[in-house]
């Protein structure tokens, strides 16, 4: 496995050729035969995972007397900025209502740590998350968010997801529930699997500044006519330099949010939003998300920028509003950016189940914000 990919290196891959050359490639349509192939028993596995996630949430509620989402429970910061689409994209990248023309869209984003424990020590290296709500997006939306002009986009700091499909997810979460407090026993069970390296990779990620960590979709999405994975690349020189620093034992259990807070107070943050298009289903599986798509063969192509002006990233009111009321869900948005593959069909069931339990146990209502101004401060 490529170590820099596992560690979420911040530096973007170089494109193999000019935009003109990339525009002449044979990209696979999103509705082509073989892109999605739902396996037998998937619905049963998905429902089992929803129940497992609720079990994790209830266990955390017993510790904290507050219910959090089943994954990405620890908030490190929430920021507001802009999603900027240029007017000079080549034709093959002018896909979906979002990228077909120039535009600047308000967005709110949350930095997080992947596991479902909101009190997890920052000094423990684990995958980190990033989730965005882009506002003022208009087009043909999925029914669940038909009247909400937002596009939800989520990321993880590892390019391949260990929960690679519904069946694997059920197996792995079951092992984590059974042996989560006994790492030796968990590893003993993981060593029996064919995907041991993938499952253990999460414990080897680089533990560094969140604003300097590259983020990935991990799973595939429709991109108008085509299919993509996407990533977010820190692009300012300050962000690149901070990537060299890693967390040390003396830094304290909340170092990531303090680093992030200090950075956002003093600096503008800038990211490149890039896409990687599907050309070969054998080499770029959609149903199984445990394999990264080779960036040398299938290069990243920039389609937008994300910019955050200096601000307070750990605002208490904003944090509580997001944790108590907001759900980020890739099925909230444009049909032309439809989530694809087994992990995304799982999310369509598991995310609402997690959200419903969270809001029930906290006696809070889910709020589908229509404007960035509805998010405090």
């Amino acid at each position: 496995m490529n170590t820099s990919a596992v560690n979420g290196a911040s530096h973007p891959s170089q494109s193999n050729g000019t935009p003109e050359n990339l525009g002449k490639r044979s990209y696979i349509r999103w509705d082509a035969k073989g892109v999605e192939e739902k396996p037998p028993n998937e619905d049963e596995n998905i429902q089992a995972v929803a129940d497992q996630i609720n079990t994790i949430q209830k266990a955390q509620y017993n510790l904290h007397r507050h219910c959090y989402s089943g994954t990405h429970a620890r908030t490190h910061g929430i920021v507001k900025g802009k999603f900027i689409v240029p007017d000079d994209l080549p034709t093959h990248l002018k896909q979906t209502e979002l990228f077909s023309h120039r535009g600047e869209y308000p967005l709110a984003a949350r930095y997080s740590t992947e596991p479902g424990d909101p009190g997890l020590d920052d000094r423990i290296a684990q995958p980190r998350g990033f989730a965005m709500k882009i506002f003022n997006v208009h087009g043909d939306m999925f029914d669940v968010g038909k009247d909400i002009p937002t596009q939800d986009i989520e990321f993880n700091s590892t390019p391949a997801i260990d929960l690679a499909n519904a069946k694997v997810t059920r197996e792995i979460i079951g092992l984590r529930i059974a042996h989560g407090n006994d790492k030796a026993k968990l590893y003993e069970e993981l060593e029996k699997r064919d995907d041991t390296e993938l499952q253990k990779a999460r414990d080897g990620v680089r533990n560094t500044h969140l604003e300097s960590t590259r983020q990935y979709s991990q799973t595939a999405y429709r991109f108008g006519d085509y299919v993509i994975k996407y990533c977010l690349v820190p692009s300012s020189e300050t962000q690149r330099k901070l990537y060299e620093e890693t967390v040390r034992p003396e830094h304290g259990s909340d170092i990531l949010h303090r680093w992030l807070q200090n950075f956002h107070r003093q600096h503008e943050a800038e990211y490149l939003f890039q896409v990687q298009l599907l050309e070969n289903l054998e080499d770029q599986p959609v149903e199984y998300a445990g394999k990264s798509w080779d960036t040398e063969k299938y290069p990243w192509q920039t389609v937008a920028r994300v910019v955050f002006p200096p601000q307070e990233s750990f605002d208490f009111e904003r944090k509580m509003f997001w944790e108590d009321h907001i759900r980020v869900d890739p099925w909230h948005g444009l049909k032309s950016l439809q989530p694809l593959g087994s992990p995304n069909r799982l999310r369509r069931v598991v995310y609402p189940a997690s959200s419903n339990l969270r809001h029930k146990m906290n006696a809070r209502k889910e709020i589908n914000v229509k404007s960035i101004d509805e998010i405090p401060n």
Side-chain angles (χ1 to χ4, degrees):
M1 182 174 292
N2 184 305
T3 304
S4 64
V6 170
N7 288 341
S10 68
H11 302 295
S13 301
Q14 297 298 315
S15 292
N16 291 345
T18 65
E20 291 78 12
N21 291 337
L22 294 173
K24 294 177 181 178
R25 292 194 179 197
S26 297
Y27 299 118
I28 296 175
R29 284 188 56 88
W30 75 278
D31 54 357
K33 184 178 180 180
V35 170
E36 285 196 290
E37 293 182 334
K38 183 178 177 179
N41 303 322
E42 184 178 79
D43 291 342
E44 176 187 333
N45 286 327
I46 288 175
Q47 185 54 54
V49 172
D51 295 340
Q52 289 172 324
I53 291 295
N54 283 168
T55 296
I56 293 170
Q57 291 177 280
K58 291 173 183 176
Q60 291 300 322
Y61 181 85
N62 285 338
L63 292 174
H64 305 284
R65 285 297 185 259
H66 193 83
C67 189
Y68 295 85
S69 57
T71 60
H72 295 275
R74 185 170 176 82
T75 299
H76 297 292
I78 298 168
V79 289
K80 293 182 178 183
K82 290 183 178 181
F83 189 87
I84 304 168
V85 178
D87 59 3
D88 60 350
L89 290 177
T91 302
H92 71 287
L93 297 179
K94 286 190 173 182
Q95 301 290 323
T96 84
E97 296 92 326
L98 186 57
F99 299 101
S100 62
H101 55 83
R102 185 189 184 282
E104 291 192 9
Y105 304 87
L107 72 83
R110 173 179 178 257
Y111 297 89
S112 64
T113 288
E114 184 199 285
D117 179 2
L120 188 67
D121 193 314
D122 289 351
R123 291 169 294 189
I124 299 173
Q126 286 290 283
R128 311 301 178 184
F130 190 81
M132 302 191 307
K133 277 189 175 290
I134 305 174
F135 295 88
N136 301 344
V137 177
H138 298 280
D140 189 12
M141 300 283 192
F142 285 104
D143 288 343
V144 70
K146 203 167 186 66
D147 300 321
I148 306 164
T150 63
Q151 177 65 52
D152 289 5
I153 301 180
E154 61 179 7
F155 306 82
N156 189 289
S157 62
T158 59
I161 184 171
D162 42 15
L163 308 178
N165 58 31
K167 179 177 180 294
V168 171
T169 302
R170 182 180 184 179
E171 294 167 353
I172 293 302
I173 292 183
L175 289 176
R176 291 176 186 173
I177 291 173
H179 308 298
N181 294 322
D182 187 345
K183 192 170 183 178
K185 179 62 177 176
L186 177 61
Y187 268 37
E188 180 183 327
E189 294 299 318
L190 294 179
E191 290 289 347
K192 300 175 184 178
R193 299 178 56 88
D194 294 336
D195 61 351
T196 303
E197 185 179 358
L198 174 66
Q199 298 304 330
K200 293 168 68 173
R202 65 188 295 109
D203 294 329
V205 297
R206 185 179 180 84
N207 202 6
T208 186
H209 288 257
L210 298 177
E211 70 278 5
S212 303
T213 300
R214 187 169 181 167
Q215 298 281 348
Y216 302 85
S217 68
Q218 300 184 313
T219 59
Y221 291 79
R222 179 183 174 184
F223 184 60
D225 293 337
Y226 306 124
V227 178
I228 59 166
K229 288 187 178 183
Y230 55 75
C231 72
L232 199 66
V233 182
S235 57
S236 77
E237 188 60 29
T238 301
Q239 287 166 275
R240 289 175 178 275
K241 288 180 179 178
L242 288 173
Y243 182 76
E244 301 306 319
E245 185 176 19
T246 55
V247 173
R248 300 194 302 272
E250 64 268 24
H251 280 150
S253 63
D254 64 342
I255 184 60
L256 292 181
H257 108 249
R258 289 189 285 111
W259 272 354
L260 190 69
Q261 190 176 35
N262 184 60
F263 171 82
H264 275 293
R265 281 174 176 169
Q266 300 182 47
H267 303 282
E268 178 178 88
E270 182 174 305
Y271 299 86
L272 303 179
F273 185 85
Q274 300 181 329
V275 298
Q276 186 182 27
L277 279 80
L278 175 65
E279 301 179 53
N280 183 328
L281 275 169
E282 290 295 319
D283 211 20
Q284 299 172 278
V286 170
E287 284 296 336
Y288 180 81
K291 179 182 179 181
S292 301
W293 293 358
D294 190 320
T295 58
E296 294 299 320
K297 292 181 182 179
Y298 316 108
W300 294 107
Q301 303 177 58
T302 300
V303 294
R305 289 188 304 125
V306 174
V307 178
F308 298 106
Q311 61 191 280
E312 172 56 60
S313 65
F314 205 77
D315 180 272
F316 297 127
E317 185 179 0
R318 186 183 293 178
K319 174 182 178 293
M320 293 309 300
F321 179 83
W322 191 292
E323 290 180 345
D324 280 355
H325 299 290
I326 297 292
R327 166 161 60 110
V328 174
D329 188 330
W331 289 94
H332 285 181
L334 296 165
K335 290 182 179 179
S336 57
L337 284 170
Q338 177 181 326
L340 300 173
S342 182
N344 280 321
R345 291 193 295 273
L346 181 147
R347 288 167 174 158
R348 198 172 196 176
V349 175
V350 172
Y351 282 17
S354 171
S355 179
N356 289 341
L357 181 65
R358 176 164 55 104
H359 292 108
K360 177 183 178 181
M361 296 186 78
N362 292 334
R364 298 287 189 270
K365 292 182 179 180
E366 181 174 303
I367 299 176
N368 292 309
V369 290
K370 296 182 179 181
S371 165
I372 196 169
D373 296 329
E374 296 178 53
I375 297 175
N377 304 331

